[in-house]
């Protein structure tokens, strides 16, 4: 690069606002137990002004960012780039088969290289709105509590072991399992009759969070007998643990109606994809040949066929929100699951 070009690039960089991201490094990976279980990357972002903060992003969000930037700035001819175009760094491709945690861990070096090269592109590109939104710390990001940040820890020669104080088992809030319970997904515990569960907090009126056999998760209160109740603050759901939102689901079949509450680590405002909802309902009810539906204000079932239908369902539920009283951590919409062969359900395209 010529000296005038370097000076011009340095001048452009100096004129960038202080909140522009200039470097980003993956600090850790964390599992998120949503409508489907996935891993996200905990990323430490540094700005031109010297501030640091953490953001949480899935690979899917990296992929969407890259596609948007390619559509805007990739030159038609890499040998002769036009004005306001540049050659973008390569993004590691999608992986469809394998252990999710191992896939996420293996992507870290490549994604770190991708972000480094992306933020060292011409200064004018750093003004791009899509790029800035990706690296911007949202309110949801700021409320997250990182668990380990393994990759930001300084190397040490000696690891000091700190002995944990022993738990007084007889003074701890706890319950005894009265029936076997098989959880759906990693967020829910598996219980066997007679096991003692140590209680952490109340999730809602019907579900508790606790630990048993070195596993932590949620379970329905109706399956246990309380031996020692939670303190009042934790009973109201203020225990400071993971935040769960619950979705009421119904399986409609010739033998009757089966009702389940599916609790996920998602914000109530999320709009899950049709694919994720279908996958989760198949797992919850252990039936493959199913269809998803919701009830319209007249009480008729409307079939959900794609992401647009999911959006319509959520918007309709929000319009009806004040008319139906629900627990504070329950989604305003509900799913009615039927057999795919049941043609008595109206399609939203009708």
């Amino acid at each position: 690069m010529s000296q005038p070009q370097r000076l011009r690039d340095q001048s452009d960089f100096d004129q960038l606002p202080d909140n522009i991201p200039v470097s980003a490094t993956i600090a850790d990976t964390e599992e998120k137990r949503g409508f489907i279980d996935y891993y996200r990357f905990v990323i430490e972002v540094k700005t031109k002004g010297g501030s640091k903060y953490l953001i949480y992003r899935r690979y899917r969000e990296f992929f969407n960012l890259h596609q948007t930037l390619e559509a805007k700035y990739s030159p038609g001819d890499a040998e002769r780039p036009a004005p306001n175009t540049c050659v973008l760094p390569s993004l590691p491709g999608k992986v469809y088969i394998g252990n999710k945690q191992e896939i996420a861990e293996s992507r870290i070096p490549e994604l770190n290289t991708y972000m480094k090269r992306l933020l060292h592109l011409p200064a004018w590109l750093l003004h791009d709105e899509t790029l800035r939104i990706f690296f911007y710390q949202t309110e949801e990001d700021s409320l997250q509590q990182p668990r380990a940040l393994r990759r930001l820890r300084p190397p040490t020669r000696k690891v000091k072991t700190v002995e944990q104080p022993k738990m007084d088992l007889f003074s701890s809030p706890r319950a005894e399992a009265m029936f076997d319970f098989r959880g759906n997904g990693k967020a829910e515990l598996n219980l066997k009759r007679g096991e003692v569960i140590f209680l952490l907090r109340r999730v809602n009126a019907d579900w508790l969070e606790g630990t048993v056999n070195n596993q932590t998760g949620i379970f329905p209160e109706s399956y246990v007998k309380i031996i020692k109740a939670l303190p009042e603050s934790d009973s109201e759901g203020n225990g400071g643990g993971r935040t769960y939102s619950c979705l009421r689901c119904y399986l409609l079949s010739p033998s009757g109606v089966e009702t389940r509450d599916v609790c996920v680590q998602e914000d109530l405002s999320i709009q899950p994809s049709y694919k994720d909802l279908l996958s989760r309902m198949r797992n919850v009810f252990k039936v493959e040949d199913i269809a998803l539906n919701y009830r319209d204000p007249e009480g008729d079932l409307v079939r959900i066929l794609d992401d647009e239908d999911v959006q319509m369902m959520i918007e309709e539920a929000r319009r009806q929100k004040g008319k139906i009283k629900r627990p504070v951590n329950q989604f305003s919409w509900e799913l009615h699951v039927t057999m795919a062969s049941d043609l008595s359900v109206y399609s939203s395209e009708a």
Side-chain angles (χ1 to χ4, degrees):
M1 183 185 294
S2 65
Q3 181 69 12
Q5 180 67 42
R6 282 198 296 268
L7 290 174
R8 184 163 58 252
D9 288 347
Q10 183 61 43
S11 175
D12 290 342
F13 180 81
D14 291 340
Q15 294 179 45
L16 291 174
D18 285 345
N19 63 353
I20 287 285
V22 294
S23 73
T25 306
I26 294 175
D28 207 349
T29 59
E30 290 188 358
E31 185 179 22
K32 187 74 182 289
R33 299 171 181 177
F35 285 99
I36 61 169
D37 299 330
Y38 60 88
Y39 280 82
R40 60 184 183 175
F41 301 96
V42 186
I43 304 168
E44 183 187 60
V45 178
K46 297 180 182 178
T47 67
K48 177 174 174 284
S51 62
K52 299 180 184 179
Y53 52 80
L54 297 175
I55 61 174
Y56 298 76
R57 299 292 182 268
R58 297 178 64 176
Y59 171 80
R60 177 189 295 177
E61 293 170 283
F62 277 95
F63 186 82
N64 292 340
L65 168 69
H66 188 74
Q67 283 196 317
T68 302
L69 295 179
E70 270 197 329
K72 287 182 178 180
Y73 304 117
S74 283
D77 184 354
E79 300 295 327
R80 298 179 179 179
N84 294 329
T85 64
C86 61
V87 178
L88 298 171
S90 59
L91 179 73
K94 290 185 176 182
V95 179
Y96 296 96
I97 301 175
N99 180 278
K100 292 182 180 180
Q101 183 175 12
E102 292 176 357
I103 293 171
E105 293 287 340
S106 68
R107 279 175 167 159
I108 290 176
E110 292 177 294
L111 289 177
N112 275 335
T113 300
Y114 176 77
M115 291 188 292
K116 179 179 179 180
R117 292 177 177 174
L118 192 63
L119 294 175
H120 280 76
L121 289 174
W124 56 264
L125 190 138
L126 300 183
H127 283 285
D128 180 83
E129 182 180 8
T130 306
L131 185 69
R132 294 184 68 175
I133 289 175
F134 179 86
F135 288 105
Y136 176 74
Q137 187 186 47
T138 64
E139 182 180 0
E140 183 179 354
D141 289 331
S142 66
L143 295 175
Q144 302 296 314
Q145 293 294 326
R147 299 172 194 168
L149 304 182
R150 294 168 296 142
R151 294 174 177 269
L152 294 186
R153 290 176 177 173
T156 56
R157 291 174 180 240
K158 186 176 181 181
V159 178
K160 184 179 180 181
T161 303
V162 179
E163 185 176 350
Q164 296 293 329
K166 293 183 179 180
M167 180 185 293
D168 183 357
L169 300 181
F170 294 103
S171 65
S172 302
R174 59 197 186 279
E176 179 184 351
M178 304 303 293
F179 312 96
D180 290 351
F181 173 73
R182 184 178 180 83
N184 287 293
K186 295 182 180 179
E188 298 180 14
L189 285 177
N190 292 320
L191 303 179
K192 290 185 178 180
R193 183 178 178 182
E195 287 184 328
V196 175
I197 308 100
F198 292 95
L199 306 178
L200 300 176
R201 69 185 181 102
R202 177 173 293 281
V203 176
N204 61 18
D206 303 312
W207 288 73
L208 297 165
E209 183 178 30
T211 180
V212 64
N213 298 327
N214 294 319
Q215 299 293 320
T216 299
I218 60 177
F219 57 92
E221 185 178 6
S222 58
Y223 278 71
V224 302
K225 177 177 70 175
I226 303 297
I227 300 173
K228 182 172 182 179
L230 286 160
E232 185 176 347
S233 59
D234 291 345
S235 295
E236 295 172 355
N238 299 321
R242 301 183 183 93
T243 300
Y244 291 93
S245 302
C246 295
L247 172 64
R248 179 64 56 87
C249 309
Y250 305 91
L251 176 64
L252 312 180
S253 67
S255 59
V257 179
E258 181 181 347
T259 305
R260 285 296 306 268
D261 280 333
V262 177
C263 296
V264 295
Q265 289 175 253
E266 299 283 11
D267 187 82
L268 289 173
S269 62
I270 189 176
Q271 180 180 316
S273 69
Y274 169 75
K275 181 180 178 182
D276 289 351
L277 282 177
L278 183 62
S279 175
R280 188 60 186 267
M281 291 303 103
R282 284 171 172 166
N283 183 53
V284 167
F285 293 113
K286 308 303 179 188
V287 182
E288 285 294 316
D289 191 26
I290 59 173
L292 306 183
N293 314 272
Y294 69 95
R295 288 200 183 276
D296 64 16
E298 287 71 41
D300 295 323
L301 285 180
V302 180
R303 181 147 295 177
I304 301 170
L305 301 174
D306 51 31
D307 290 345
E308 290 186 5
D309 289 343
V310 174
Q311 182 179 356
M312 289 176 59
M313 170 186 68
I314 294 174
E315 290 176 353
E316 182 61 50
R318 287 172 180 165
R319 285 194 289 268
Q320 303 294 322
K321 189 175 181 180
K323 302 177 182 179
I324 304 174
K325 188 175 181 180
R326 302 188 192 277
V328 292
N329 65 333
Q330 184 171 317
F331 288 99
S332 60
W333 43 279
E334 297 178 339
L335 279 181
H336 297 261
V337 181
T338 59
M339 299 300 106
S341 57
D342 185 355
L343 303 180
S344 61
V345 180
Y346 294 100
S347 167
S348 61
E349 295 179 353

